[in-house]
Amino acid sequence: NAGVTQTPKFRVLKTGQSMTLLCAQDMNHEYMYWYRQDPGMGLRLIHYSVGEGTTAKGEVPDGYNVSRLKKQNFLLGLESAAPSQTSVYFCASSKNTGELFFGEGSRLTVL
Amino acid sequence: AQSVTQLGSHVSVSEGALVLLRCNYSSSVPPYLFWYVQYPNQGLQLLLKYTTGATLVKGINGFEAEFKKSETSFHLTKPSAHMSDAAEYFCAVSEASGTYKYIFGTGTRLKVLA
């Protein structure tokens, strides 16, 4: 059972470069989320989606863009990476039971 | 606005001792409350959740939590710690608003001493 799959798992970027993180879920969940995890700060919501074709901003959306063209995929883009975006990124999905299902994370380093 | 406070960023217990991880929340509407566990280099997994009904909730791996509305608390306990319980634990709150926007606490890292 794949659940929530994130690619890539590791990436190193130089300041100003762009990249896209891909999240795929096979549970037919309506809701999908992107979080970032930083030491001592817990998880902070970047963007989320309540269905195909819809996205919304979370707590820390600046510097990120997202798209949900297909129900099973949720993409997180960084147009011009900054060192402050060095973090571990988690994708999650949920249905109406309220439980979040997480991917294993993507570790991004921006030099 | 909702918020979650986890008291103690690091907790150490001896193997076999009681585990108590504290979580207090604020919410203007009846909350849904969750505890998640994160093992090294992994994503978060659900331990247990409270939505409605019984205030004492049992989860996986022998953990349980009690929702106390008067104290706005949802503390996590386990009677006897095992070495495999060493991990980071996150408390989260959400509103049943349809979007399930979750607010996470900053986490408590549990260390189990032999």
Side-chain angles (χ1 to χ4, degrees), chain A residues 3-4 23 25 27 29-33 91-95 99-103:
Chain A
V4 178
C23 176
Q25 54 97 0
M27 296 171 283
H29 286 170
E30 287 294 331
Y31 308 136
M32 296 187 74
Y33 311 80
C91 177
S93 69
S94 73
K95 58 180 180 179
E99 175 184 353
L100 285 172
F101 292 82
F102 284 87

Side-chain angles (χ1 to χ4, degrees), chain B residues 63-91:
Chain B
F63 284 93
E64 62 182 36
E66 186 171 11
F67 169 54
K68 292 188 177 181
K69 185 178 179 180
S70 62
E71 299 178 7
T72 61
S73 69
F74 192 56
H75 301 331
L76 182 71
T77 60
K78 181 174 181 178
S80 177
H82 192 274
M83 297 298 288
S84 61
D85 295 327
E88 190 156 21
Y89 293 79
F90 292 91
C91 182

Side-chain angles (χ1 to χ4, degrees), chain A residues 11-91:
Chain A
R11 185 73 187 269
V12 179
L13 290 177
K14 294 181 180 178
T15 297
Q17 287 185 318
S18 63
M19 76 159 294
T20 299
L21 297 176
L22 170 63
C23 176
Q25 54 97 0
D26 62 2
M27 296 171 283
N28 201 34
H29 286 170
E30 287 294 331
Y31 308 136
M32 296 187 74
Y33 311 80
W34 276 108
Y35 289 89
R36 60 177 290 172
Q37 183 180 29
D38 302 291
M41 303 188 75
L43 277 79
R44 292 181 291 167
L45 182 63
I46 306 171
H47 287 279
Y48 66 100
S49 168
V50 300
E52 181 178 318
T54 71
T55 64
K57 295 180 180 180
E59 300 173 66
V60 289
D62 294 342
Y64 304 96
N65 56 75
V66 288
S67 65
R68 185 131 180 240
L69 299 179
K70 294 183 178 181
K71 185 177 183 178
Q72 64 267 34
N73 295 337
F74 196 28
L75 279 64
L76 178 71
L78 286 73
E79 291 186 347
S80 179
S84 61
Q85 294 178 304
T86 293
S87 187
V88 181
Y89 292 85
F90 286 98
C91 177

Side-chain angles (χ1 to χ4, degrees), chain A residues 31 33 35 37 40-43 45 48 50 57 59 90 94-100 102-105 107, chain B residues 32 34 36 38 41-46 49 51 88 90 94 97-107:
Chain A
Y31 308 136
Y33 311 80
Y35 289 89
Q37 183 180 29
M41 303 188 75
L43 277 79
L45 182 63
Y48 66 100
V50 300
K57 295 180 180 180
E59 300 173 66
F90 286 98
S94 73
K95 58 180 180 179
N96 61 358
T97 60
E99 175 184 353
L100 285 172
F102 284 87
E104 293 190 345
R107 187 174 296 274
Chain B
Y32 285 7
F34 307 81
Y36 286 85
Q38 184 181 32
N41 299 314
Q42 294 187 24
L44 282 71
Q45 305 170 34
L46 182 70
K49 66 180 179 183
T51 53
E88 190 156 21
F90 292 91
S94 76
S97 63
T99 61
Y100 290 98
K101 291 172 64 177
Y102 297 75
I103 303 298
F104 283 84
T106 53

